[in-house]
Amino acid sequence: MIASTFWFSPASSEVSSSRISLDFGLRSADFFFRELVVPELGRIWFVRQFSWPLASLALHESMQNQGSNAPRPTAICHGIEALACKLAYQINPQGPFERILGSRAFGRDPEMRVRSFQQLRQPSNYVRNTHRQAATRAIRQDGGLGFATGTRFDLLDLEPVGRALAEAFLDQRVGLGGTSLRKWLLGWLRDEQELPGWSDTLARALVPERPTSEERELVRSRVLDTRTPECATRQHLAPAIGRAADLPDIRSVVVPRLRDAGHRKQADEVIAALAFGAVLDRARDATADLTQAVDAARGGVPAATLARDAAIRKSLGGLRAAAKNFSSKVSTVGITEPTSRVFVDALLGRDDELQTIRFLVGRVAQVLCLSDDSVHRGALFRVVDQSESLDGLEEGAASIEPDRTNRTGRTFRIANLHSLLRDVVQRGAA
């Protein structure tokens, strides 16, 4: 018998995610500077981002006390915020969708046939990256504003102030009979009732834009009136950014106001954070130029060839200049965050464009890779546009919060705080 050996091409490996995140290994540094500038706020930027999850914890507790088989708080919150956003979308389906998630899914259902809790709790009828995910850290006592204690959202216990905020939301009256929002939502969660004919009053009680005065005051007090060093940082920033419709320029207005008020170290920390943001922006610019060159070649490009490209040399020069500026600014204020310093020191230690390209490609392995000293497409290669966000493309909370809407002018949550401060007073007040 003749032995035979068969060779097969290996199946292409699966990539667990189709999303790219060009953080250059600096995610922990990015978090550090955001917390340094505006501590404990997380990705919160309007009042209802607190009200929905806290109300969900309270409703879960009520259902358990009544002996019901209660859905997890996470599912309750996703359903409630999906309903709130969908009702807001129905009011104005042409937009703008400043605080509304799920507009793509809602646009596929103009007659609002998808409206039950069991339907709206599903990501396919809303989004995967929700406001609740953006709010969880800010809700907690550890690292947040202290509305609840615990680590995982489904296991959080409401603190008195968190319970008060949940009640302020749930005690609203809806419908001709003046039933409480709590009672209506409990029936909706049990699939015992549909949207009523008076859903306009329900919309006013749920939508992102209409927190009650009590909700506003409870959030305002936690943001500005607690006696902690973190709150003092926010207190100093509040008058510096004001409540005008547009966020003032941070370098030319906010920083001088901080210094004039005697908060020079805080002003220097803001400048250092902005310098770090410039490093991220210039690193993305250089990556964008590299992806365009690799895409045009339809194959691997020798790193030495890329190092001679005029556009790439210019973007790498901008990256090195930003790195030098950042190194100077953090030394001035005495910041020793390790990952950013290691990145910048390694970058500045490269002697020429060729070494810098090798270093940068090693930091974006999802998009580009180096083989035989040529730059090739990575597993999640795509041409990176210099105007795009660093994060992935899936619709969700991270895509619309004020701190992440611009390529330049990264605000390190100052824009989020500005938006929240406007929401806790009558919006538009100076």
Side-chain angles (χ1 to χ4, degrees), residues 58-358:
L59 289 170
H60 175 79
E61 182 181 288
S62 294
M63 294 180 77
Q64 282 192 317
N65 291 340
Q66 294 170 8
S68 299
N69 185 17
R72 293 183 301 121
T74 295
I76 294 174
C77 189
H78 289 190
I80 289 175
E81 70 170 76
L83 177 61
C85 287
K86 192 161 192 176
L87 290 172
Y89 176 88
Q90 291 292 317
I91 294 172
N92 185 16
Q94 303 306 315
F97 308 129
E98 182 181 347
R99 299 177 179 182
I100 298 174
L101 300 180
S103 57
R104 294 177 190 171
F106 304 156
R108 298 192 296 267
D109 181 33
E111 297 181 6
M112 205 165 176
R113 290 191 175 94
V114 176
R115 55 195 183 189
S116 71
F117 167 65
Q118 294 300 334
Q119 292 171 316
L120 288 176
R121 68 184 289 185
Q122 303 299 324
S124 58
N125 293 320
Y126 181 43
V127 293
R128 292 188 180 278
N129 295 327
T130 64
H131 285 303
R132 194 276 311 167
Q133 291 166 293
T136 298
R137 183 179 181 86
I139 287 171
R140 299 194 322 240
Q141 194 164 68
D142 182 16
L145 297 178
F147 288 103
T149 55
T151 53
R152 293 176 50 205
F153 179 74
D154 284 337
L155 301 178
L156 292 180
D157 293 317
L158 290 171
E159 288 290 297
V161 65
R163 191 174 300 280
L165 181 51
E167 297 300 324
F169 174 74
L170 293 171
D171 284 348
Q172 295 179 87
R173 297 293 160 175
V174 296
L176 298 176
T179 188
S180 71
L181 180 60
R182 172 193 290 276
K183 183 177 180 181
W184 189 90
L185 284 173
L186 285 172
W188 181 70
L189 292 170
R190 299 187 184 105
D191 292 323
E192 296 173 356
Q193 56 193 16
E194 284 265 352
L195 287 182
W198 40 262
S199 58
D200 58 330
T201 64
L202 184 65
R204 287 197 295 271
L206 284 171
V207 295
E209 297 285 347
R210 298 180 65 94
T212 66
S213 58
E214 187 176 358
E215 289 174 84
R216 295 175 193 267
E217 176 55 28
L218 285 166
V219 171
R220 189 205 64 79
S221 67
R222 297 305 297 178
V223 173
L224 296 177
D225 288 348
T226 59
R227 296 184 178 182
T228 65
E230 293 78 12
C231 185
T233 298
R234 300 190 297 269
Q235 288 171 343
H236 299 161
L237 267 177
I241 62 180
R243 290 168 173 76
D246 296 325
L247 175 68
D249 184 81
I250 296 175
R251 293 182 186 275
S252 64
V253 178
V254 176
V255 168
R257 285 176 178 174
L258 284 170
R259 286 181 174 148
D260 291 344
H263 311 304
R264 297 190 63 84
K265 184 175 186 295
Q266 186 173 350
D268 289 341
E269 289 172 345
V270 172
I271 288 295
L274 296 179
F276 172 74
V279 171
L280 289 178
D281 288 338
R282 301 295 79 76
R284 189 196 44 243
D285 291 347
T287 302
D289 286 335
L290 289 170
T291 60
Q292 289 166 6
V294 170
D295 184 63
R298 301 294 179 183
V301 181
T305 301
L306 294 172
R308 293 191 295 269
D309 184 278
I312 293 174
R313 289 174 65 90
K314 181 178 179 181
S315 61
L316 292 176
L319 174 57
R320 290 179 63 85
K324 289 179 181 178
N325 181 57
F326 170 72
S327 182
S328 171
K329 294 298 187 288
V330 295
S331 296
T332 297
V333 75
I335 294 172
T336 58
E337 195 286 320
T339 57
S340 58
R341 296 303 298 263
V342 167
F343 179 88
V344 166
D345 290 346
L347 182 64
L348 295 177
R350 267 56 184 180
D351 295 330
D352 55 28
E353 286 81 1
L354 180 58
Q355 292 186 31
T356 305
I357 288 172
R358 291 169 180 158

Side-chain angles (χ1 to χ4, degrees), residues 372-430:
D372 295 329
D373 215 28
S374 290
V375 179
H376 298 262
R377 299 183 179 201
L380 297 181
F381 175 83
R382 55 185 290 267
V383 175
V384 177
D385 184 351
Q386 292 183 357
S387 65
E388 289 179 316
S389 166
L390 287 178
D391 289 316
L393 302 177
E394 184 178 352
E395 183 187 23
S399 67
I400 61 172
E401 65 172 296
D403 193 35
R404 293 173 180 263
T405 54
N406 297 317
R407 178 176 70 90
T408 56
R410 192 183 303 272
T411 73
F412 292 90
R413 294 180 179 150
I414 290 178
N416 286 29
L417 178 61
H418 173 256
S419 176
L420 183 60
L421 291 175
R422 282 174 48 78
D423 204 31
V424 298
V425 298
Q426 291 300 316
R427 299 191 73 201

